[in-house]
Amino acid sequence: MAGESIRKIDAGDPAPDFDLPDVDGETYSLDDFADDEALLVVFTCNHCPYAKAKFDALNEIAAEYDDVSVVGINANDAEEYGDDSGERMRDLVEDGTIQYDAYLRDEAQSVAAAYGAVCTPDPFLFAAEDGEFRLAYHGALDDALNPDDDPEEHYVRQAIDAILAGEAVDLDFVPSRGCTIKWKPDNEPAYWDDV
């Protein structure tokens, strides 16, 4: 089932913290990215065609911007969707398909709920301000909202460039589109009624 991102946290709001393991079991939190000027948190997964269509774009952002970290978070129910298991995440990192700064597993789905994540991919870009990350942009990575589309406008890159130039991010909210987060039974957050 496809869905579109909604706004649960607003521009200027602090990033909800997390404490999640990567594919090798190392734990990451916001503090691990404190030296960055910006942090791109993307709720994504291994199997969704919308998410897979953005692997290369996210890899390129991670490689090209030294002062920006790209953190993928997979919150899908891996029991029902075995292709989203931690083992499969590790395979995709090891074979180079995913080259983000970190690819984390949100087994409890609490981080996805705190961010208001709806779909894969669901990107949140934070700018470093006074020692914390504050939301600068939430929405589509680019204007290619379907897996087979080619992008012409790159919203997240525009937002990153503005942050790094010390300028305000002035972009309209364009919802991301993708497969909906696969919640565990009885684990859907309250905002899901609005999706």
Side-chain angles (χ1 to χ4, degrees):
M1 181 173 115
E4 291 188 347
S5 54
I6 61 169
R7 286 184 140 165
K8 182 172 185 268
I9 56 176
D10 294 319
D13 286 352
D17 205 357
F18 51 79
D19 192 28
L20 297 173
D22 73 355
V23 296
D24 293 321
E26 184 177 344
T27 301
Y28 285 84
S29 70
L30 288 177
D31 288 343
D32 291 299
F33 306 99
D35 292 337
D36 291 322
E37 290 188 47
L39 175 66
L40 178 59
V41 174
V42 183
F43 290 88
T44 187
C45 69
N46 305 332
H47 83 276
C48 167
Y50 294 87
K52 290 164 75 170
K54 301 303 181 187
F55 286 170
D56 287 345
L58 291 169
N59 289 342
E60 289 166 7
I61 291 170
E64 290 173 24
Y65 290 95
D66 292 336
D67 296 323
V68 180
S69 285
V70 176
V71 175
I73 298 179
N74 180 357
N76 278 356
D77 178 358
E79 275 193 34
E80 287 296 317
Y81 297 85
D83 211 22
D84 282 325
S85 69
E87 181 177 329
R88 181 68 181 131
M89 290 169 64
R90 187 179 312 109
D91 291 344
L92 293 176
V93 170
E94 288 178 353
D95 71 14
T97 300
I98 289 178
Q99 300 170 27
Y100 315 151
D101 296 283
Y103 192 22
L104 311 179
R105 179 82 185 128
D106 181 15
E107 188 67 36
Q109 302 182 316
S110 57
V111 177
Y115 278 72
V118 169
C119 55
T120 55
D122 202 348
F124 297 77
L125 178 65
F126 298 91
E129 294 180 18
D130 300 323
E132 65 181 342
F133 287 110
R134 293 192 170 274
L135 186 66
Y137 173 78
H138 169 219
L141 281 166
D142 52 46
D143 64 349
L145 297 178
N146 296 306
D148 295 331
D149 294 347
D150 291 322
E152 294 183 13
E153 278 198 80
H154 301 271
Y155 307 131
V156 166
R157 283 180 175 273
Q158 292 173 33
I160 289 171
D161 290 341
I163 291 168
L164 297 181
E167 300 169 357
V169 175
D170 186 19
L171 290 169
D172 292 331
F173 175 60
V174 177
S176 187
R177 183 184 302 153
C179 303
T180 54
I181 301 282
K182 307 308 182 196
W183 300 101
K184 296 177 181 180
D186 303 318
N187 212 22
E188 289 180 358
Y191 66 82
W192 207 249
D193 293 337
D194 299 328
V195 172

